[in-house]
């Protein structure tokens, strides 16, 4: 009887820990996306930060000769929830920090990050070559970034 109770207790503890991991997208508070090009003249770096209330976009040059541009737009909680749905936290948290050779041979780099329970998970990859696990999210984030083309 004691043995069965011990086994059932272990199973219950394992299930509780597994359930917490599955629900961790609820604790995703911030999504980031950006691009950079090392051999570039002009605005070579972009950064998009997404929260449940706002989109924050910035662009800057590599050499600091151009002024940094910052723009914001409102973003609704429902839009943020739809964006969160494109992520599978188990996949992004298990991906390596760097995939391929970002910005090698002047091809540029892209990155995507999420903050879950206060911890940032960031993946950098070759521009235009998102890992399969992130393709849908990257496409949506590119569209959001393109909405700032008029950021002056």
């Amino acid at each position: 009887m004691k043995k069965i109770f011990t086994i059932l207790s272990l199973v219950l503890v394992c299930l509780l820990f597994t359930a917490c991991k599955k629900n961790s997208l609820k604790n995703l508070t911030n999504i980031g996306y950006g691009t950079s090009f090392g051999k570039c003249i002009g605005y070579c770096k972009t950064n998009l930060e997404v929260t449940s209330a706002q989109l924050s976009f910035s662009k800057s040059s590599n050499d600091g000769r151009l002024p940094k541009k910052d723009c914001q737009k409102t973003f609704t909680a429902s839009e943020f929830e739809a964006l969160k749905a494109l992520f599978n936290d188990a996949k992004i948290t298990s991906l390596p920090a760097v995939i391929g050779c970002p910005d090698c041979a002047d091809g540029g780099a892209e990155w995507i990050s999420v903050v879950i329970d206060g911890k940032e998970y960031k993946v950098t990859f070759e521009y235009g070559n998102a890992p399969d696990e992130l393709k849908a999210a990257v496409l949506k984030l590119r569209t959001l970034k393109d909405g700032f083309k008029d950021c002056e």
Side-chain angles (χ1 to χ4, degrees), residues 6 9 16 23 31 50 58 64 73 79 82 84-85 89-90 94 102 104 131:
T6 303
S9 296
L16 287 174
N23 292 327
I31 299 169
V50 185
S58 66
K73 292 182 180 180
E79 289 172 312
K84 279 174 42 174
D89 64 317
S94 64
C104 292

Side-chain angles (χ1 to χ4, degrees), residues 101-117:
C101 189
D103 209 16
C104 292
D106 200 28
E110 281 182 282
W111 60 267
I112 193 166
S113 69
V114 295
V115 176
I116 301 171
D117 288 326

Side-chain angles (χ1 to χ4, degrees), residues 87-148:
F87 286 89
N88 179 331
D89 64 317
K91 290 181 183 174
I92 193 166
T93 59
S94 64
L95 289 172
V98 177
I99 298 174
C101 189
D103 209 16
C104 292
D106 200 28
E110 281 182 282
W111 60 267
I112 193 166
S113 69
V114 295
V115 176
I116 301 171
D117 288 326
K119 182 174 181 184
E120 181 180 36
Y121 299 91
K122 184 175 180 179
V123 179
T124 304
F125 48 92
E126 298 167 2
Y127 183 82
N129 194 18
D132 290 339
E133 298 89 341
L134 300 176
K135 281 186 179 178
V138 169
L139 286 174
K140 179 62 177 174
L141 290 164
R142 282 182 192 150
T143 301
L144 293 172
K145 179 189 77 117
D146 289 345
F148 286 95

